[in-house]
Amino acid sequence: MVADPITEVHREITRLLTKLSRAGGGRPDALMEACVACLEAAQCTSAAATGQERADTGAQEALHAVNAAALAIRYALVKAGDERRLAARTGESVTSDT
């Protein structure tokens, strides 16, 4: 039996989140955290779409996750800009992990 597309997508999102959480053992990386936050938002949305969560509860959780993802992305952008400015002042090359 073939699963419907949204169920397959939900499984794949969950697999990617698991894989990223295992890969994140080193230094904190702002862009990696932003990726995880975006996947968490997608996971909340797909859980509601598959009926694993009530539609209203799942949508509310997805909205919170989207807001968290936006903040994580904004933080990554600010961090990268700060690192570029610091490197320009000190004459170093930027080798950021963001």
Side-chain angles (χ1 to χ4, degrees):
M1 181 175 155
V2 176
D4 65 293
I6 192 67
T7 300
E8 290 180 33
V9 167
H10 182 73
R11 278 192 211 120
E12 185 65 13
I13 291 167
T14 302
R15 184 190 69 76
L16 290 170
L17 277 168
T18 302
K19 187 174 183 175
L20 281 176
S21 67
R22 289 184 189 144
R27 293 188 315 182
D29 181 323
L31 284 176
M32 172 77 90
E33 293 299 321
C35 287
V36 169
C38 289
L39 285 171
E40 287 172 344
Q43 186 182 43
C44 289
T45 306
S46 63
T50 60
Q52 294 179 21
E53 294 253 359
R54 286 184 22 194
D56 58 346
T57 304
Q60 187 67 39
E61 288 296 318
L63 184 59
H64 291 303
V66 166
N67 288 333
L71 289 173
I73 292 167
R74 185 177 299 142
Y75 173 78
L77 287 170
V78 169
K79 184 178 179 203
D82 289 348
E83 289 175 349
R84 277 194 305 278
R85 284 187 291 281
L86 178 63
R89 276 185 279 170
T90 62
E92 298 175 12
S93 64
V94 177
T95 58
S96 171
D97 61 344
T98 59

